[in-house]
Amino acid sequence: MATNVRKMPAIEYKLNITEEEIPESIRLIAEQQGECQKSKQETIAQFRDYILEHNDCQPHRNDDKYLEKFLRARYWKLGNSYKLLCSYYKFREENKNYYEKVRPIDLRHLGDENILTVTPYRDQLGHRILIYRFGIWRPNRVTVDDIFRATIILQELGSMEPISQIMGGVAIFDLKDLGLEHLIHLSPGVAQKMLALLVTSMPIRTSALHIVNQNWLFNAAFKIFKPFLNASMRERLFIHGSDMSSLHKHINPENLPKRYGGLHEDYSYTLWLEMLEQQCANSGVQKEMEQLGFIFD
């Protein structure tokens, strides 16, 4: 008897960097978030004036396209968008070694180790999915700083996508096999930086944090992170254990890897780096990354 096996479509690693690629359903969500096509240019101009007036930070760009992603990330509220802008530049100033003279292709060993990636497909709502597998992290091979550098590259790329600017992303922290050798590297300073990248200091929202496969060490690790979670983020933190049906209430199995009860294979972080090196060379993406300090030669 023949059985029907559902085949997943071919996956393409691609950045959706044009406004024309925004589906109508997401345009409607953008309107609900405060984006108005009739007054958009006026609001961006007001934001540019707001930045000059307050002068707490000096962005390296102030063109419409660049400022728009900060407004989208904070629902077009000038004060909140400005606070995000300043937090972003403060983080950059305090962590120059994560940007300056960093060659993305030199981080391919993170792909080899499978510690983190962003899936080339989105979830059912249009979120990008960022996955960390800290239990297989070997600190003697991959430094904490390299994990931050790799995360920043993904966040910066995601913030260039209009769809992601509107919808944000979700993060899955897979803590299977988390051990003491990992915990000793998770200092309060590391926790603060991680949450700065995912919550407070990047022009792309994290809509939810999902913890899966946690063990008894999770309670100790969570005590490190908890002080840096604001009330809003705590409401978006979901702890599932090994119950993938609980995760599926938030992310459909059709939009997850097989290891989380989904249908997809695992996709390496290295494939994003190769896409960045090859496909984005002439798209303006590399130029934007170079303006941040990254190197591609």
Side-chain angles (χ1 to χ4, degrees):
M1 180 189 237
T3 58
N4 292 324
V5 178
R6 183 175 180 181
K7 293 184 178 181
M8 298 304 298
I11 298 295
E12 179 183 13
Y13 275 72
K14 179 185 177 184
L15 288 177
N16 308 113
I17 60 174
T18 67
E19 293 286 325
E20 290 72 25
E21 294 176 279
I22 303 176
E24 186 59 32
S25 59
I26 292 181
R27 291 186 189 278
L28 292 174
I29 292 173
E31 290 179 8
Q32 294 169 5
Q33 294 177 350
E35 184 168 331
C36 176
Q37 292 301 318
K38 292 183 179 179
S39 61
K40 177 191 286 191
Q41 299 305 315
E42 180 182 352
T43 304
I44 294 174
Q46 290 174 352
F47 186 40
R48 186 180 294 110
D49 291 340
Y50 191 101
I51 294 168
L52 292 172
E53 178 184 344
H54 288 76
N55 199 34
D56 295 312
C57 62
Q58 291 76 42
H60 71 288
R61 291 171 55 186
N62 69 351
D63 56 277
D64 287 7
K65 179 181 176 183
Y66 185 69
L67 297 182
E68 183 176 31
K69 66 181 180 180
F70 288 91
L71 287 164
R72 279 175 165 164
R74 291 298 180 265
Y75 304 111
W76 294 84
K77 297 183 184 300
L78 294 186
N80 291 345
S81 300
Y82 180 70
K83 182 179 178 181
L84 172 62
L85 182 77
C86 292
S87 295
Y88 171 75
Y89 279 94
K90 180 181 179 182
F91 182 89
R92 283 193 58 193
E93 181 64 27
E94 293 176 348
N95 299 280
K96 291 181 179 180
N97 62 318
Y98 294 159
Y99 289 88
E100 294 182 0
K101 298 181 180 179
V102 172
R103 184 176 281 102
I105 202 67
D106 289 345
L107 296 171
R108 64 165 52 248
H109 61 290
L110 275 86
D112 298 335
E113 297 286 324
N114 289 317
I115 300 168
L116 82 158
T117 193
V118 166
T119 59
Y121 49 85
R122 300 174 186 272
D123 74 3
Q124 71 276 7
L125 298 177
H127 301 124
R128 285 289 190 191
I129 306 172
L130 174 62
I131 300 174
Y132 292 94
R133 297 175 63 198
F134 282 120
I136 62 172
W137 170 35
R138 288 179 281 188
N140 62 323
R141 294 194 181 188
V142 177
T143 67
V144 171
D145 283 343
D146 275 349
I147 292 176
F148 281 127
R149 292 184 183 103
T151 300
I152 285 169
I153 289 171
L154 293 173
Q155 293 284 75
E156 291 288 0
L157 290 174
S159 76
M160 296 180 194
E161 298 184 297
I163 295 174
S164 297
Q165 293 168 8
I166 296 166
M167 299 305 302
V170 297
I172 297 174
F173 286 77
D174 186 345
L175 303 184
K176 183 179 181 181
D177 297 325
L178 186 74
L180 288 172
E181 69 273 21
H182 305 119
L183 200 60
I184 61 175
H185 292 276
L186 297 179
S187 66
V190 168
Q192 190 172 20
K193 286 182 182 179
M194 179 63 71
L195 291 170
L197 286 178
L198 296 179
V199 181
T200 62
S201 300
M202 293 295 288
I204 182 169
R205 291 188 307 275
T206 299
S207 299
L209 295 173
H210 297 282
I211 309 294
V212 299
N213 296 321
Q214 75 273 11
N215 58 22
W216 63 273
L217 278 173
F218 168 73
N219 289 334
F222 188 58
K223 287 180 181 178
I224 299 172
F225 280 81
K226 191 174 181 180
F228 304 107
L229 291 173
N230 59 31
S232 175
M233 203 63 237
R234 291 182 190 187
E235 293 177 357
R236 289 176 279 165
L237 175 66
F238 303 95
I239 302 172
H240 306 285
S242 59
D243 181 8
M244 294 304 128
S245 64
S246 174
L247 177 63
H248 297 166
K249 294 176 182 178
H250 302 268
I251 306 175
N252 290 346
E254 291 84 356
N255 309 107
L256 283 168
K258 292 178 181 178
R259 69 175 62 255
Y260 307 123
L263 302 178
H264 291 278
E265 303 296 334
D266 291 328
Y267 293 95
S268 172
Y269 174 79
T270 307
L271 295 173
W272 281 111
L273 297 179
E274 292 173 353
M275 181 277 299
L276 181 58
E277 287 281 337
Q278 299 166 11
Q279 298 177 25
C280 294
N282 300 315
S283 67
V285 172
Q286 276 195 15
K287 182 179 179 181
E288 288 192 37
M289 296 292 280
E290 286 171 345
Q291 290 175 349
L292 298 173
F294 296 103
I295 300 173
F296 293 93
D297 55 19

